[in-house]
Amino acid sequence: MENNSITLDLYEMQSAAHLGILRCLESEKYQEKWGYNYKGSLNDQMAKSISGAMGEVALAKFLKIKFEFHCNVGGVPDLIFKDLRLQIRTQIPKNNNSLIIRPKAKPGELYILVIDKAPDFEILGFVNSSYVLGQDRFKTDFGLARPPCYSIPPEKLTPINLLKDSSWN
C-alpha cells in the first residue's frame, strides 16, 4: 500500500491558517469576489481558505519542497515541483470527493486532490489539466446554479507517488 499521507505540526497549521485568513481579508479589502457564482459567507470562505492553504503546505511537505507563502497573486501556481506547475484542490472528507477543475484552467498544469483530515492530509492523486479540458465525460454543474466544471473521481487520478519519485511522465 502506498503511503500518500502527511501530518502537519502545529506551526505548519498555524502558518497556513494565517495565510488562509489573509487571502480572504485581502479579497474583502480589494472587493474581489470569489468566482463561479460562489455565495458562501465570509466565515465559510475563511474555513475553506484555511483548509486550502493547509492542503498546499501538506503537499509541499509531502514532496519535500519549500512552501512559498503567497497571497492572491492570480495565475501563479500553488506550488512548483521540478519545473511542474501544481494546482492543489483541498476538500474535507465526504462521500463524493472529486478533483474539480474549472474550464478556464491553463493547459499543462497538474491538479492534485488533497483530503483535509487535519492535522492529517491524504493526497489522493493528480491529473494533467490537458487531459481533462474539453472532455464532456467529466463536465458537470452538480445540479447547482453555477457554471459547469470538470469533476474527476479519485479512482481516475494518477497516484501521487509517481510524481514524487519522478516515475511519471
Side-chain angles (χ1 to χ4, degrees):
M1 172 127 187
E2 74 177 281
N3 183 5
N4 59 343
S5 296
I6 197 80
T7 300
L8 296 184
D9 63 32
L10 293 176
Y11 173 79
E12 292 161 334
M13 291 188 344
Q14 183 266 349
S15 297
H18 276 287
L19 178 60
I21 292 169
L22 180 61
R23 288 174 177 174
C24 290
L25 295 178
E26 280 217 345
S27 292
E28 284 291 312
K29 178 180 178 181
Y30 295 110
Q31 299 177 337
E32 299 167 340
K33 300 291 181 200
W34 274 31
Y36 309 103
N37 205 22
Y38 180 80
K39 297 194 183 344
S41 68
L42 178 60
N43 187 50
D44 185 54
Q45 289 177 15
M46 284 189 182
K48 286 182 163 88
S49 290
I50 290 168
S51 178
M54 286 195 298
E56 294 169 23
V57 171
L59 184 64
K61 185 174 182 178
F62 180 82
L63 295 173
K64 297 181 172 36
I65 60 175
K66 180 182 178 184
F67 180 72
E68 301 287 340
F69 289 82
H70 61 275
C71 184
N72 300 1
V73 290
V76 174
D78 297 323
L79 295 172
I80 296 177
F81 177 70
K82 299 181 180 179
D83 294 326
L84 297 169
R85 299 168 62 87
L86 309 182
Q87 299 288 356
I88 293 80
R89 298 294 180 257
T90 306
Q91 300 173 4
I92 58 171
K94 52 189 176 183
N95 290 333
N96 58 347
N97 287 102
S98 67
L99 178 60
I100 303 300
I101 301 178
R102 300 287 174 196
K104 292 183 178 180
K106 294 177 183 173
E109 291 191 322
L110 301 184
Y111 280 74
I112 299 166
L113 180 57
V114 176
I115 303 300
D116 174 354
K117 302 176 186 177
D120 301 315
F121 292 80
E122 185 178 2
I123 299 101
L124 295 189
F126 70 97
V127 68
N128 187 318
S129 59
S130 295
Y131 298 121
V132 173
L133 297 173
Q135 298 295 316
D136 286 339
R137 66 185 172 142
F138 294 120
K139 204 169 206 178
T140 182
D141 64 5
F142 294 104
L144 301 172
R146 295 182 70 182
C149 64
Y150 298 99
S151 173
I152 302 90
E155 63 271 11
K156 298 287 185 186
L157 300 176
T158 303
I160 194 63
N161 283 312
L162 296 180
L163 178 66
K164 184 179 182 180
D165 68 14
S166 299
S167 60
W168 172 81
N169 209 5

